[in-house]
């Protein structure tokens, strides 16, 4: 790859961005501590770190979203004050946020023009933008229909609109915050090609990510952040994923999940022709059939919004469906009248929901209260008709210790824990119930590497006890690492099942884009058209 | 029903629709920017009072209008301060302003005029005179179109025509100008506006100011155009009907005109007839008056297409990543 391009440049060239001693605190939390970094022009500079390491805060300061408590920002050798986004744009900095900042019911053109209009009247601005947009999209392979509404576009397309917005404002420094989180592998590859193209044109790119593979693949230089501090800046070709992971976490990390081959037993969950129609009358599951056996992990791969959430919700008793679901050979009632989340729990289904903050926890409640949810009628937590809070608290303390939740304080509100520790609370609650079947959605979303390792170990341990696990994740790496079998969902259907040992990310990526004939070469365009059709949306 | 009755009902429809239309457009600007305004009622009321009071004291309706609009704008700024700057609850702030207007208007009226919370009756230059449209006299002889022009459309006060002209103006501002684009954007996704380098606060304050101006005109019309003086609670729920019309119109200006004319028509009909005899049964006029609310509930329930409000409506903007 083009990793050696920057060696040709003289060292004396002013950095595109230089931050000197940036500090920022939110209340008692020091998000950024005395951070200095130099980003050379015409390079792709990666910033990697765990969730909560302060990457996004740092970039938000650079984009004028937050004001630093201390420190200086230098752009192309000149000191700049960046009190707001306006100033950042004027300094030639563009930012693509993780959650897109687009107006859903506006056209692409209107979104691009917003805030960068030519004059008080709109029509001249729009027609001028239309021309420039055409030129830009040809130059950088960023084809988007300028008259399409944002809400009708897939996430990949929406991201292009964000990049076009920045380019339209003549940004020559582009910051991308976790850009591949919502993309299929094919879309991510295309994004990287766009970034390479921008780099060739002399643009400077800052890529924030927690995915080591992306850093290794595309960046020239990488800076590592940990606990609000910049721990190292290294040239990418001179480092390795293992070294970066160690720098991020501060100790050696196992990047691969250690697991013995599965020894599947009899079928625990049998799903036949399961259909779900949502409140708007859209069919979200179109006849899904699958089975999970004792002692195995079935991974469901797919781009967010293709029916995985609905599958988990129906199985967990949170949504009605049609079709047949058998647990240990016994039919479950799917109409929601005789069976709900509570009866499912009693029959041995534990559920770690996809969105822990909305469905897994009540953020303002204390840890021990959260650990009781769903099991509050357990005799162990009750004394007659009253709750035995002392018993619940004691049990919580035991779980906190066993699952290494930090800080180890059962009285803390759920919102005061980090993402990884919140997830550990949910996992502790569900896994300790000794379920026959574990439903687990996005177990490591927004969770730091250290906790990911732990959570993965727990899921594998449950499997090794002979339990069945249904895993839904949009992270293909996670699916590949944990699953004993992989089913790929697209547009409410299972596109196919593969064994991890006999498939590749490329093949899964095509299945995720709805292309079942994975033997021949497919164009990016085909993949995109399929995805646009399925309406895969960003999950927030 | 004879032709003359139809013309008279049409004439009174226009007069009764005017305050609704001004308030409705006021609400449109505010809500399109993401600020819900339940306080239209209060703003109209306070403006109705101040315009009548100042007109009565100075004898000039124009000074009265100025005072009324100023009062409504000040109320708007209080609402803005509470909901934009201090990120308070927009409903609570609006309701509080309604109470404030209701109490303050009567209190001050009693203190100054001592006529049981009213202002003296206005006459002469203290009221808006009716304007005759060009050729109204000449055309009145033309059959059908003549009376429609000279008796129904002509002969209203200037604020009626201002309200009608405000409709295309609002459409133009909203859909053909930079300010309109930003205004619509800030009501949908303030984050997009903020990251595009545009101040969310300034935009919303702008919208709230326009809202104050328009609802001020509506209030002034009530006491100096439609009626001759201020009486207690004279807005009689018009601010809420205007909100209903806004939902009915799905936050769009031309449809707002249609909704306000419809609601104005219902009022005109119920003012004129005690009950409507439909041979088989009678419709009491209370039912006709309730129709705007019933229609709004029907719309909200989603029977006649979905009314999707601006997405960021009611939520204060807090910067986040």
């Amino acid at each position: 790859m083009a990793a050696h391009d920057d060696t040709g440049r003289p060292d004396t060239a002013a950095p595109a961005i230089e931050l000197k001693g940036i500090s920022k605190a939110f209340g008692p939390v020091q998000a950024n501590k005395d951070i200095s970094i130099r980003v050379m022009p015409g390079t792709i500079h990666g910033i990697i770190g765990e969730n909560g390491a302060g990457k996004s805060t740092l970039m938000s300061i650079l984009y004028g979203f937050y004001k630093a408590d201390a420190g200086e920002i230098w752009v192309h050798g000149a000191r700049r004050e960046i009190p707001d986004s306006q100033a950042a744009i004027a300094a030639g900095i563009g930012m693509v946020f993780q959650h897109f900042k687009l107006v859903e019911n506006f056209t692409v053109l209107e979104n691009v023009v917003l805030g960068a209009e030519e004059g008080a009247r709109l029509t001249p601005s729009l027609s001028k933008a239309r021309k420039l947009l055409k030129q830009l999209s040809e130059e950088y392979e960023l084809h988007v229909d300028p008259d399409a509404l944002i809400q009708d576009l897939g996430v990949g397309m929406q991201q292009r609109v964000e990049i076009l917005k920045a380019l339209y404002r003549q940004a020559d420094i582009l910051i991308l915050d976790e850009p591949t989180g919502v993309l299929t592998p094919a879309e991510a590859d295309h994004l990287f090609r766009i970034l390479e193209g921008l780099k060739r044109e002399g643009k400077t790119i800052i890529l924030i990510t927690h995915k080591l593979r992306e850093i290794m693949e595309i960046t020239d230089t990488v800076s590592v952040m940990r606990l609000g501090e910049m721990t190292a800046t290294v040239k990418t070709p001179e480092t390795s994923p293992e070294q970066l992971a160690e720098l991020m976490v501060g100790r050696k990390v196992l990047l691969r999940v250690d697991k013995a081959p599965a020894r599947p037993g009899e079928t625990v969950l049998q799903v036949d022709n399961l259909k779900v129609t949502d409140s708007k009358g859209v069919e979200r599951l179109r006849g899904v059939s699958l089975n999970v056996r004792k002692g195995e992990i079935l991974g469901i791969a797919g781009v967010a919004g293709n029916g995985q959430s609905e599958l988990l919700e129906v199985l967990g008793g949170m949504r009605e469906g049609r079709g047949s679901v058998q647990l240990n050979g016994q039919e479950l009632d799917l109409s929601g009248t005789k069976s709900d989340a509570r009866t499912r729990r009693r029959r041995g289904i534990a559920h770690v929901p996809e969105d822990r903050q909305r469905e897994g926890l009540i953020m303002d409640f204390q840890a021990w209260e959260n650990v009781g949810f769903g099991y509050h009628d357990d005799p162990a937590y009750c004394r007659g008709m009253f709750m035995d809070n002392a018993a619940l608290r004691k049990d919580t303390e035991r779980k906190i210790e066993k699952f290494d939740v930090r800080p180890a304080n059962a009285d803390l509100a759920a919102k005061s824990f980090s993402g990884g520790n919140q997830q550990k609370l949910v996992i502790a609650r569900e896994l300790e119930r000794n379920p026959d079947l574990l439903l687990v959605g996005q177990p490591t979303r927004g969770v730091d590497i250290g906790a990911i390792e732990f959570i993965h170990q727990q899921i594998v341990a449950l499997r090794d006890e002979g339990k069945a696990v249904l895993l839904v994740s949009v992270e293909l790496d996670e699916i590949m690492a944990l699953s004993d079998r992989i089913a790929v969902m697209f547009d409410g259907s299972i596109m196919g099942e593969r064994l991890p040992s006999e498939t590749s990310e490329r093949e899964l990526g095509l299945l995720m884009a709805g292309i079942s004939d994975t033997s021949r070469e497919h164009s990016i365009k085909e993949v995109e058209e399929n995805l646009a059709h399925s309406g895969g949306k960003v999950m927030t | 029903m004879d032709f003359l009755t139809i013309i008279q009902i049409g004439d009174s429809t226009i007069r009764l629709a005017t305050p609704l239309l001004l308030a409705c457009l006021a609400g449109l600007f505010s809500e399109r920017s993401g600020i819900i305004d339940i306080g239209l009622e209060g703003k109209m009321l306070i403006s109705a009072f101040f315009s009548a009071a100042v007109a009565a004291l100075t004898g000039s309706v124009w000074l009265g209008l100025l005072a009324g609009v100023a009062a409504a704008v000040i109320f708007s700024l209080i609402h803005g301060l509470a909901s934009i700057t201090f990120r308070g609850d927009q409903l609570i702030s609006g309701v509080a302003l309604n109470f404030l207007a209701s109490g303050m208007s009567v209190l001050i009226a009693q203190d100054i005029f001592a006529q049981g919370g009213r202002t003296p009756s206005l006459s002469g230059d203290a009221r808006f005179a009716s304007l005759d449209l060009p050729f109204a006299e000449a055309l009145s002889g033309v059959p059908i179109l003549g009376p429609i022009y000279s008796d129904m459309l002509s002969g209203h006060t200037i604020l009626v025509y201002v309200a009608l002209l405000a409709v295309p103006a609002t459409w133009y501002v909203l859909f053909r100008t930079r300010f309109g684009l930003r205004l619509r954007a800030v009501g949908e996704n303030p984050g997009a506006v903020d990251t595009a380098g545009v101040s969310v606060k300034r935009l919303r304050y702008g919208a709230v100011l326009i809202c104050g101006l328009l609802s001020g005109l509506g209030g002034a019309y009530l006491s100096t155009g439609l009626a001759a003086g201020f009486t207690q609670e004279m807005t009689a729920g018009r601010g809420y009907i205007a909100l209903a019309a806004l939902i009915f119109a799905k936050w769009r200006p031309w449809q707002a005109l249609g909704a306000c004319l419809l609601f104005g028509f219902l009022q005109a009909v119920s003012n004129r007839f005690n009950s409507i005899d439909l041979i088989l049964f009678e419709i009491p006029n209370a039912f006709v008056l309730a129709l705007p609310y019933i229609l709004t509930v029907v719309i909200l329930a989603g029977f006649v297409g979905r009314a999707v409000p601006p997405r960021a409506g009611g939520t204060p903007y807090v910067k986040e990543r």
Side-chain angles (χ1 to χ4, degrees), chain B residues 243-267:
Chain B
L243 279 181
L246 186 58
I247 296 167
F248 205 77
K250 296 175 183 169
W251 293 267
R252 288 172 299 186
W254 286 108
Q255 286 83 344
L257 174 64
C260 290
L261 284 176
L262 173 66
F263 291 178
F265 170 74
L266 293 172
Q267 259 186 332

Side-chain angles (χ1 to χ4, degrees), chain A residues 504-517:
Chain A
S504 63
E505 292 213 349
R506 189 184 157 274
E507 186 187 27
L508 293 177
L510 287 173
L511 286 170
M512 282 161 69
I515 295 166
S516 50
D517 170 19

Side-chain angles (χ1 to χ4, degrees), chain A residues 56-57 60 63 65-66 85-86 89 97 101-106 114-115 117 119-122 169, chain B residues 172 175-178 181-182 184-185 188-189 191-198 311 317 319-321:
Chain A
S56 293
T57 304
S60 298
Y63 194 65
F65 231 53
Y66 296 138
S85 305
Q86 186 110 54
I89 293 166
F97 287 85
K101 304 289 184 184
L102 297 170
V103 182
E104 292 260 307
N105 58 0
F106 274 22
L114 180 66
E117 305 90 344
R121 283 176 59 228
L122 209 52
R169 289 160 170 73
Chain B
Y172 183 83
F175 297 106
R176 289 290 182 273
T177 68
R178 173 175 63 189
L181 182 79
R182 293 176 175 185
R184 284 182 289 136
E188 288 290 329
N189 184 355
V193 172
D194 193 14
T195 52
V198 181
R311 204 163 306 177
Y317 178 60
K319 271 179 196 254
E320 58 177 352
R321 292 190 301 263

